[in-house]
Amino acid sequence: AQSVAQPEDQVNVAEGNPLTVKCTYSVSGNPYLFWYVQYPNRGLQFLLKYITGDNLVKGSYGFEAEFNKSQTSFHLKKPSALVSDSALYFCAVRDNDNAGNMLTFGGGTRLMVKP
Amino acid sequence: GAVVSQHPSRVICKSGTSVKIECRSLDFQATTMFWYRQFPKKSLMLMATSNEGSKATYEQGVEKDKFLINHASLTLSTLTVTSAHPEDSSFYICSASEVVAYNSPLHFGNGTRLTVT
């Protein structure tokens, strides 16, 4: 069974500082990893994904994530946080050996960026 | 980019009535759509996988007779909450992907806030 853990319910960052939102995963095969962002009362928006290739993946709005196979992690990062980045962030994994198309989501991390 | 439209965005209904939520892929065909439920301060819970032209696959613990899913075309899936009760109040989100490929991201609707009084 595949699973995703986001150990922090909330991350607080001052505007302009770097931010990291943590994610670890567990799959039996090779993982496809995704980050999504959710603004209040909205659906999820796709930020970035890791499929194969470079471990550092760049996505929307200046976000990036680093795939670390040995640590089974896929932490989301941004060099300089904006107040508008405040939202709920979800990490998700799909096992590439999975016959279905199912994503498993982490519990979500609320990012609060203060001016 | 791919757009998924979900309607309505908010609905308030009385206990015992039924509510239908629509999920449309606007510029792509979606053989498979997914319905999620999100509780306050909680992650997304996959309710069911909706397959065009066939019966939906429900996750364990989800009542298929209560949450009716119909996927009549490649661009439309509907979720009907039958005989709604206050405990059904939640945020429901649909999603779809352009192709059934493991590396394609899902595109999400904006969600429907259901309040049952």
Side-chain angles (χ1 to χ4, degrees), chain B residues 7 13 15 17 27 46 52 59-60 68 70 90 92-93 96-97 103 108 110 113:
Chain B
H7 179 80
C13 70
S15 187
T17 62
D27 52 1
L46 178 65
E52 187 268 335
E59 296 300 303
Q60 190 173 9
L68 300 178
N70 183 277
S90 194
Y92 294 87
I93 309 175
S97 61
N103 60 6
F108 288 82
N110 279 336
R113 171 76 58 194

Side-chain angles (χ1 to χ4, degrees), chain A residues 5-78:
Chain A
Q6 292 180 242
E8 304 153 315
D9 288 339
Q10 183 162 317
V11 170
N12 297 312
V13 176
E15 187 175 31
N17 283 1
L19 68 88
T20 299
V21 182
K22 296 180 180 178
C23 169
T24 58
Y25 65 89
S26 175
V27 295
S28 56
N30 290 314
Y32 292 148
L33 293 154
F34 304 81
W35 274 101
Y36 290 86
V37 59
Q38 184 182 30
Y39 297 98
N41 291 312
R42 300 292 294 274
L44 277 65
Q45 296 178 31
F46 169 71
L47 273 182
L48 52 79
K49 66 178 180 181
Y50 170 82
I51 303 301
T52 187
D54 291 340
N55 290 340
L56 185 63
V57 178
K58 293 186 183 297
S60 306
Y61 311 121
F63 283 93
E64 58 189 30
E66 186 168 11
F67 171 66
N68 187 315
K69 188 173 184 177
S70 62
Q71 296 184 6
T72 62
S73 67
F74 189 56
H75 301 332
L76 181 70
K77 300 181 180 183
K78 187 172 182 179

Side-chain angles (χ1 to χ4, degrees), chain B residues 15-56:
Chain B
S15 187
T17 62
S18 296
V19 174
K20 180 184 285 188
I21 303 170
E22 292 187 347
C23 181
R24 295 180 184 272
S25 56
L26 295 186
D27 52 1
F28 66 98
Q29 293 185 331
T31 307
T32 304
M33 291 186 177
F34 304 89
W35 287 95
Y36 293 85
R37 182 173 177 177
Q38 187 176 28
F39 296 93
K41 300 183 179 180
K42 295 282 189 181
S43 186
L44 299 163
M45 180 192 79
L46 178 65
M47 298 175 65
T49 302
S50 170
N51 300 296
E52 187 268 335
S54 64
K55 291 182 179 180

